[in-house]
Amino acid sequence: MQEGEIKLEKGVFIISLDTELAWGTRNLEKYGGHYQKTREAIDRLLNLFAKYDIKATWAVVGHLFLDECKKVDGVVHPKIVRPQYKDLKGDWFNIDPASNINIAPEWYGKDIVEKIINCKAKQEIGCHTFSHIDVSKEGCSEECFGSELDECKKMASDFGLQLTSFVYPRNRVALIDVLKDKGFLCYRDRDDDWFKNSEERLRRLAHAVDNYLCLPVKATTPKKTNGIWSLPGSYFYIHKDGWAKFIPISFRVRKAKTGIDSAISNKQIFHLWFHPFNLASDPDGLIYGLEKIFIYFKKMKAEGLIENMTMGEMANYLNSKS
């Protein structure tokens, strides 16, 4: 066992959801229909969580805590330090409509946050930056990242929430020390798959091949890094867009089951993740697949072989053991 790792008493099933609406694609018109279906997909997912008593961590883009915003002296969100990416034209927040949820619902999500909080099955709200910045990219300073985290924490506190779990946009991990300094306990690390160290283009190809061949999923072990817990992903529950629309739902279910089995056998974590936005590509099929996964998990849980935790619960448990 590597330094910083802790062996678990049994397998653990974690779900994390990158909840971002239009902030994740920065106004790509081809996804417009998905934006319109995402709220319905979230409602159905919350109902599924309630039905099977499944906990999840919703990593919410901070701007979605709002139902409106406006410019102050011609500037929207003036307290946030802007990223200075070399390829960025104009102000980072030029895409912000500076209006309200009725006019631009894909940019605001206070209603979504409230539904998550009120779900009958306990849910966790985590952080996904305020505006979906690429933290790893040159031009994102510690000050920029820190200001986004501060704003997210302020927004969450208005709902009586304390943010302790973090998911990096595009899974690009960087500036971990800033997370720790801002009081976060854990973050989702990159998926621990067989192609994770490949060059980005090869990684994309390998990701597609991995799913077409329905290769088994490997459970992961948490590790403390820079004083904060790394909780690697295990399996991205793929959408039904592009190449992925040809992959049967049954393949997704089979891969998830192998991840659950791996977590049970090795007393590790099966960390499933996706975007609620992804479900909008085929709500009926993808929700059906998730239900099959949850049924299998509940069977294994009833046998005392695996538990379900949020990311925050996992971090608190690990801190109690370290």
Side-chain angles (χ1 to χ4, degrees):
M1 187 164 62
Q2 300 179 26
E3 182 181 356
E5 293 182 350
I6 288 184
K7 194 70 174 178
L8 304 178
E9 296 174 5
K10 64 171 65 175
V12 176
F13 180 29
I14 291 177
I15 303 174
S16 57
L17 305 163
D18 301 27
T19 311
E20 54 201 36
L21 294 183
W23 289 96
T25 50
R26 293 189 70 80
N27 212 21
L28 292 177
E29 285 77 6
K30 67 178 181 178
Y31 292 117
H34 288 0
Y35 298 148
Q36 296 168 16
K37 297 177 184 176
T38 299
R39 277 180 166 81
E40 178 186 351
I42 288 173
D43 289 344
R44 294 179 66 177
L45 183 57
L46 286 169
N47 287 336
L48 203 61
F49 286 157
K51 180 178 179 179
Y52 292 97
D53 193 24
I54 299 289
K55 305 173 186 176
T57 296
W58 298 72
V60 177
V61 165
H63 199 278
L64 299 187
F65 282 96
L66 301 171
D67 58 7
E68 65 177 355
C69 65
K70 60 183 68 175
K71 293 183 178 180
V72 178
D73 297 326
V75 179
V76 66
H77 310 300
K79 293 182 180 179
I80 297 180
V81 178
R82 271 54 170 169
Q84 300 298 319
Y85 303 136
K86 290 182 180 179
D87 57 350
L88 177 63
K89 297 179 180 179
D91 181 66
W92 174 255
F93 281 99
N94 279 347
I95 61 168
D96 192 319
S99 59
N100 60 62
I101 196 169
N102 295 319
I103 296 173
E106 66 270 30
W107 299 97
Y108 302 89
K110 184 178 179 180
D111 60 319
I112 294 172
V113 173
E114 290 173 340
K115 287 177 180 179
I116 296 169
I117 293 171
N118 293 322
C119 182
K120 291 181 180 179
K122 180 182 178 181
Q123 306 293 301
E124 177 191 23
I125 291 184
C127 183
H128 199 41
T129 72
F130 181 77
S131 63
H132 208 269
I133 55 173
D134 185 342
V135 182
S136 71
K137 193 173 178 180
E138 183 180 355
C140 178
S141 64
E142 291 187 0
E143 292 74 21
C144 170
F145 187 29
S147 70
E148 291 239 345
L149 296 179
D150 286 340
E151 191 67 11
C152 290
K153 282 184 164 286
K154 177 180 176 295
M155 297 286 181
S157 68
D158 292 339
F159 288 81
L161 303 172
Q162 183 178 5
L163 303 179
T164 59
S165 301
F166 185 80
V167 170
Y168 284 92
R170 308 194 189 286
N171 276 346
R172 294 174 180 169
V173 177
L175 303 179
I176 298 172
D177 286 340
V178 177
L179 274 186
K180 181 175 179 288
D181 291 343
K182 296 298 182 181
F184 286 87
L185 302 180
C186 61
Y187 65 94
R188 191 182 71 214
D189 214 335
R190 290 174 54 201
D191 289 19
D192 190 16
D193 43 40
W194 58 271
F195 50 86
K196 70 176 183 179
N197 294 320
S198 302
E199 184 270 331
E200 186 167 355
R201 289 183 182 178
L202 288 176
R203 209 162 56 238
R204 290 177 181 175
L205 176 61
H207 173 62
V209 170
D210 180 89
N211 280 280
Y212 273 115
L213 297 180
C214 199
L215 299 179
V217 173
K218 182 175 69 173
T220 63
T221 300
K223 182 179 179 180
K224 205 161 198 178
T225 306
N226 296 28
I228 187 171
W229 288 102
S230 157
L231 305 177
S234 304
Y235 173 50
F236 171 58
Y237 186 72
I238 54 172
H239 46 74
K240 287 281 279 186
D241 286 314
W243 59 269
K245 65 186 173 185
F246 301 107
I247 295 177
I249 296 296
S250 61
F251 280 31
R252 294 164 175 80
V253 176
R254 191 186 312 167
K255 285 182 72 70
K257 286 182 177 180
T258 66
I260 291 171
D261 291 342
S262 178
I264 291 170
S265 298
N266 300 296
K267 295 183 179 180
Q268 292 179 307
I269 296 172
F270 171 54
H271 192 160
L272 177 73
W273 67 277
F274 55 94
H275 307 71
F277 173 86
N278 296 139
L279 298 181
S281 61
D282 178 16
D284 290 341
L286 293 170
I287 289 287
Y288 170 82
L290 286 173
E291 184 161 21
K292 290 294 184 182
I293 294 167
F294 296 164
I295 290 171
Y296 185 71
F297 161 73
K298 292 290 281 188
K299 179 177 181 291
M300 296 298 104
K301 181 182 178 183
E303 296 177 15
L305 299 174
I306 192 168
E307 291 293 336
N308 168 221
M309 294 186 184
T310 65
M311 289 176 63
E313 287 176 337
M314 186 79 256
N316 285 322
Y317 169 82
L318 293 168
N319 285 332
S320 74
K321 297 295 182 181
S322 61

